[in-house]
Amino acid sequence: MANKRQLFGKVKATGAGAHVILQKSIGYFSGLNLLLGIIVGSGIFISPAGVLGYCRLNVGVALSIWAASGVMSMLGALCYTELGTALPSSGGDYYYVKRGLGSFPAFLLLLVDIIFSMPVGISIKSMTFAEYATKPFYTDCPTPEMVKKAIAIAVVIILTALNGVTIKGALWVQKIFTILKMQCLVLIAIGGLVEMAKGNTKNLENAFDGEVPTVSQICLAFYQGLWAYGGWNGLNKAEGKLRFIFKCGPVCSLYIDYGDENI
């Protein structure tokens, strides 16, 4: 109650100039893990089959699309890094559209994001988690859809409650799952290199001799690839909670302001 009285007293004293400031609870390592956790998500485990399928099993075209998707995503990430340093505020896309085009286009963007984009992305990720989590228990038959849906719903509810109760706890969960996902990708990469060292490179020989996909199929393959790389703009949405602030001065010097707390 004392803290509330002090807060209300401060609000009355400052009048219209008072505003709420988010607690800066995301450090450098936590922010890096958060960004990696968003990018290295379920897409990398689902998209490869989709890219190869839309490319009509043409390995050369599929690898080219993966490379082009990576370059496009890197350019987008660099643009958002520039936006984040120039406009250090939470909100991400919403804030940038509001600054550039006004409140109504920003409202429409946020409406579409909340009603369509975010629920679809969360449902795909939760269903993917349920698919992989239940696979060891259903080795001889497909996992029942009801089981996968029940696990996916439980995961969404638990993570939503965890994010609502404690940010630090959610960050620790993010760190653990990021490490696990990176370990899986490293094991897959090592397995591929071992197979190549054994001489199993027949799929790379004459890689572009397969059937050529149509323009629409290439677009769908690009969508799959970009979705796997997606998430590089996630940290800008929570920039107000970062404990480190990047600033670019007149001489383009880059430094980090850590504040009073350890990262």
Side-chain angles (χ1 to χ4, degrees):
M1 291 298 294
N3 292 334
K4 290 183 178 180
R5 292 193 185 96
Q6 293 174 2
L7 176 61
F8 290 144
K10 184 177 180 180
V11 170
K12 291 180 180 179
T14 56
H19 60 280
V20 178
I21 300 176
L22 294 174
Q23 182 182 1
K24 298 183 181 298
S25 57
I26 301 178
Y28 184 79
F29 185 69
S30 299
L32 180 62
N33 274 277
L34 177 63
L35 195 58
L36 285 176
I38 296 173
I39 296 174
V40 186
S42 59
I44 191 60
F45 299 102
I46 299 176
S47 294
V51 172
L52 193 59
Y54 286 120
C55 291
R56 295 187 177 182
L57 303 181
N58 193 319
V59 177
V61 175
L63 293 177
S64 300
I65 288 176
W66 277 113
S69 299
V71 172
M72 293 174 64
S73 299
M74 183 185 67
L75 294 176
L78 292 175
C79 291
Y80 265 69
T81 301
E82 184 72 17
L83 285 171
T85 55
L87 303 172
S89 180
S90 296
D93 300 337
Y94 169 79
Y95 179 71
Y96 304 143
V97 172
K98 184 178 180 180
R99 285 288 300 266
L101 301 177
S103 299
F104 185 68
F107 168 75
L108 292 179
L109 173 68
L110 195 61
L111 187 67
V112 172
D113 198 19
I114 292 175
I115 295 179
F116 296 105
S117 301
M118 294 179 64
V120 170
I122 292 173
S123 62
I124 293 174
K125 293 175 183 178
S126 59
M127 288 295 291
T128 303
F129 174 82
E131 175 72 27
Y132 283 98
T134 57
K135 198 63 178 176
F137 303 99
Y138 294 91
T139 56
D140 299 329
C141 61
T143 306
E145 289 295 324
M146 187 58 66
V147 174
K148 290 193 294 185
K149 291 179 181 179
I151 294 176
I153 293 172
V155 168
V156 172
I157 293 175
I158 292 172
L159 293 180
T160 302
L162 183 63
N163 278 273
V165 173
T166 169
I167 294 295
K168 291 185 178 180
L171 290 175
W172 272 108
V173 172
Q174 185 75 48
K175 292 177 184 178
I176 294 172
F177 277 94
T178 299
I179 293 172
L180 292 175
K181 286 184 289 186
M182 293 300 297
Q183 288 178 346
C184 292
L185 293 178
V186 169
L187 290 175
I188 293 172
I190 292 175
L193 293 175
V194 169
E195 291 297 322
M196 292 179 63
K198 291 180 179 179
N200 296 327
T201 59
K202 59 182 180 180
N203 291 327
L204 299 178
E205 298 173 359
N206 302 320
F208 291 92
D209 290 345
E211 190 174 359
V212 179
T214 63
V215 175
S216 61
Q217 289 175 329
I218 291 177
C219 293
L220 291 172
F222 262 112
Y223 179 80
Q224 294 280 336
L226 292 173
W227 184 59
Y229 284 110
W232 36 263
N233 59 339
L235 198 60
N236 291 55
K237 297 179 180 179
E239 197 166 356
K241 298 183 71 63
L242 299 180
R243 278 190 260 156
F244 58 97
I245 302 174
F246 295 93
K247 294 182 179 180
C248 186
V251 294
C252 296
S253 60
L254 192 65
Y255 70 95
I256 303 176
D257 179 15
Y258 291 101
D260 296 329
E261 298 180 7
N262 295 323
I263 292 181

